[in-house]
């Protein structure tokens, strides 16, 4: 069990106009509890409970920008339209009423499949591919791309208008923006493709620029990135620090303040030992290379990793010592916690009090309910 004090996790952090009470982020987790795309009071109560228990920053489940077939399950919430936005206004008011800070994660799922029985019209991606050699949907036209960039910008503008504290652009896990990054799903020969990750980053850069223009200079923008894809866990977009810099630095230059560096296990090094930097994880390298604020994530406080949970695997509480050591040396700035917070709204409070023996096991049953 954890032997170190967790004090370092409870330092405040200011990012532009946003001050967080601690370094713990509720990771965005798909919940599918919003019929017809509209979050109800149960969703507001779910996030409020985490705010009441002192989560530093809450990131919502993925929410959909205004494009046809931009979600891959019928009960994923929209972040457009009067009814859905009214629902999200209820959510952020509840979180603020409990003293919390929150941002929506905005996304377009591209060609990925979550519900095999959900096949809406208009599925789109860079080249009409779900994975290398696997067609699904259509290749986007220039007009589709322009409209999608505008849809991300409008969602971000609506987030600010509703009173959210930040916004996160989802550019990871094999969804639309990530399908532009990945050579296996981006075979375009125009300005939206290319032979290098830097060239294939143009779509993401234009999304970031449009979002920045929509929210102004002082509203923090987060960007979630990953090497791995749902379609193939072994994929790597960057095989060296130089490639990683060419991928991530243009996003920071375009207006991204925080890189949310998604990996399945936060303690795994991103590269072999390079220039004495043995053991830096993805968020550590992203911070070192770009100077941006970074969020790490991946199986925090639990014995098993999250993909296995979808196969029915439970996890027991695990030591936080490794995390605390990395935070003490400022390898990264924030840590996102997923399943442990999904299973136990009081997780942060227990960690702050040193009540590690009171932390709960994770049961996959939690995926099917809003605790």
């Amino acid at each position: 069990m954890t032997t170190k004090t967790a004090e370092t996790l409870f330092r405040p952090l200011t990012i532009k106009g946003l001050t967080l009470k601690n370094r713990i982020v509720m990771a965005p987790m798909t919940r599918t509890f919003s019929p017809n795309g509209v979050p109800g009071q149960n969703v507001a109560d779910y996030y409020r409970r985490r705010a009441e228990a002192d989560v530093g920053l809450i990131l919502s489940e993925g929410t959909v920008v205004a494009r046809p077939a931009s979600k891959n399950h019928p009960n994923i919430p929209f972040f457009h339209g009067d009814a859905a936005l009214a629902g999200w206004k209820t959510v952020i008011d509840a979180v603020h009423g409990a003293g919390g800070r929150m941002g929506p994660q905005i996304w377009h799922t591209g060609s990925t499949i979550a519900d095999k029985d959900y096949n809406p019209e208009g599925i789109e991606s860079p080249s009409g591919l779900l994975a290398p050699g696997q067609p699904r949907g259509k290749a986007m036209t220039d007009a589709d791309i322009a409209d999608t960039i505008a849809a991300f910008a409008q969602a971000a503008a609506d987030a600010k208008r509703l009173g959210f504290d930040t916004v996160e652009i989802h550019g990871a896990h094999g969804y639309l923006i990530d399908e532009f990054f990945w050579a296996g799903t981006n075979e375009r020969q125009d300005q939206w493709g290319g032979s290098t990750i830097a060239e294939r980053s143009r779509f993401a850069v234009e999304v970031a620029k449009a979002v920045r223009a929509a929210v102004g200079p002082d509203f923090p923008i987060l960007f979630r990135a990953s090497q791995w894809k749902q379609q193939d866990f072994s994929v790597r977009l960057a095989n060296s620090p130089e490639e990683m810099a060419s991928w991530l630095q243009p996003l920071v230059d375009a207006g991204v303040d925080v890189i949310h560096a998604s990996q399945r296990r936060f303690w795994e090094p991103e590269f072999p030992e390079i220039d004495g930097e043995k053991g830096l994880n993805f968020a550590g390298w992203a911070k070192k290379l770009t100077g941006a604020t970074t969020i790490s994530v991946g199986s925090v406080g639990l014995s098993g990793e999250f993909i296995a949970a979808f196969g029915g695997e439970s996890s027991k509480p695990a030591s936080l010592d490794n995390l605390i050591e990395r935070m003490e040396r400022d390898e990264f700035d924030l840590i996102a916690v997923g399943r442990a917070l999904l299973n136990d709204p009081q997780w942060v409070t227990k960690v702050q009090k040193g009540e590690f023996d009171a932390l709960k096991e994770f049961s996959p049953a939690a995926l099917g309910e809003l605790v």
Side-chain angles (χ1 to χ4, degrees), residues 77-354:
F78 294 128
F79 209 84
H80 62 87
D82 292 344
L85 293 178
W88 284 113
K89 177 62 173 170
T90 299
V91 171
I92 189 57
D93 287 350
V95 168
H96 282 167
R101 296 291 178 264
M102 184 176 184
Q105 185 189 73
I106 54 176
W107 72 358
H108 184 319
T109 60
S111 291
T112 56
I113 299 171
D115 183 340
K116 62 182 176 59
D117 297 321
Y118 183 63
N119 286 290
E121 294 184 6
I123 293 172
E124 59 186 1
S125 65
S127 301
L129 296 171
L130 167 64
Q134 297 183 41
R136 186 172 191 250
K138 66 163 190 167
M140 297 171 75
T141 65
D142 282 347
D144 293 332
I145 289 171
D147 288 348
T148 301
I149 292 169
F152 273 98
Q154 183 61 55
D158 285 334
K160 183 179 180 182
R161 176 177 60 82
L162 293 175
F164 282 88
D165 303 286
T166 184
V167 66
E168 177 168 278
I169 302 165
H170 195 306
H173 305 161
Y175 293 130
L176 180 70
I177 291 176
D178 204 15
E179 289 173 337
F180 275 90
F181 289 144
W182 184 16
T185 49
N186 184 351
E187 297 180 343
R188 301 178 72 99
Q189 301 300 311
D190 59 7
Q191 68 269 33
W192 305 107
S195 60
T196 68
I197 181 60
E199 293 170 323
R200 296 190 301 274
S201 293
R202 181 179 178 189
F203 176 71
V205 167
E206 293 303 318
V207 168
K209 287 180 178 178
V211 167
R212 175 53 70 204
V215 300
D218 299 323
F219 192 74
I221 298 173
L222 286 61
F223 189 97
R224 198 170 207 200
S226 72
Q227 298 265 36
W228 65 273
K229 319 298 168 205
Q230 294 180 70
Q231 300 93 319
D232 185 345
F233 294 152
S234 67
V235 169
R236 294 181 62 81
L237 298 177
N239 291 299
S240 68
E242 292 75 19
E243 279 190 316
M244 184 175 285
S246 74
W247 166 30
L248 299 180
Q249 186 64 54
L251 296 171
V252 174
D253 294 342
V256 169
D257 300 296
V258 182
I259 297 171
H260 188 171
S262 178
Q263 61 184 117
R264 293 166 65 196
R265 305 170 187 89
F266 78 88
W267 57 87
E268 293 183 341
E270 191 61 29
F271 302 111
E273 183 172 356
I274 300 173
D275 296 332
E277 295 290 3
K278 183 177 182 179
L280 278 185
N281 72 3
F282 183 15
W285 273 107
K287 180 177 180 177
K288 176 181 174 65
L289 293 169
T290 69
T293 300
T294 62
I295 306 172
S296 189
V297 67
S299 305
V300 175
L302 291 172
S303 59
E305 60 96 26
F306 73 99
I307 294 295
F310 293 98
E313 182 179 300
S314 298
S315 293
K316 295 182 181 299
S319 173
L320 298 176
D321 287 352
N322 187 314
L323 170 64
I324 292 168
E325 290 170 2
R326 289 169 183 264
M327 294 292 285
E328 285 176 340
R329 61 178 181 259
D330 290 322
E331 179 177 338
F332 41 82
D333 303 286
L334 295 151
I335 186 66
V337 180
R339 289 168 297 140
L341 263 174
L342 183 148
N343 201 54
D344 183 2
Q346 299 296 319
W347 190 88
V348 174
T349 301
K350 292 174 182 178
V351 169
Q352 186 168 23
K353 292 179 178 178

Side-chain angles (χ1 to χ4, degrees), residues 21 47-54 92-100:
K21 67 178 75 174
Y47 289 116
R48 174 185 50 77
R49 285 190 284 273
R50 276 74 188 171
E52 289 172 339
D54 287 332
I92 189 57
D93 287 350
V95 168
H96 282 167

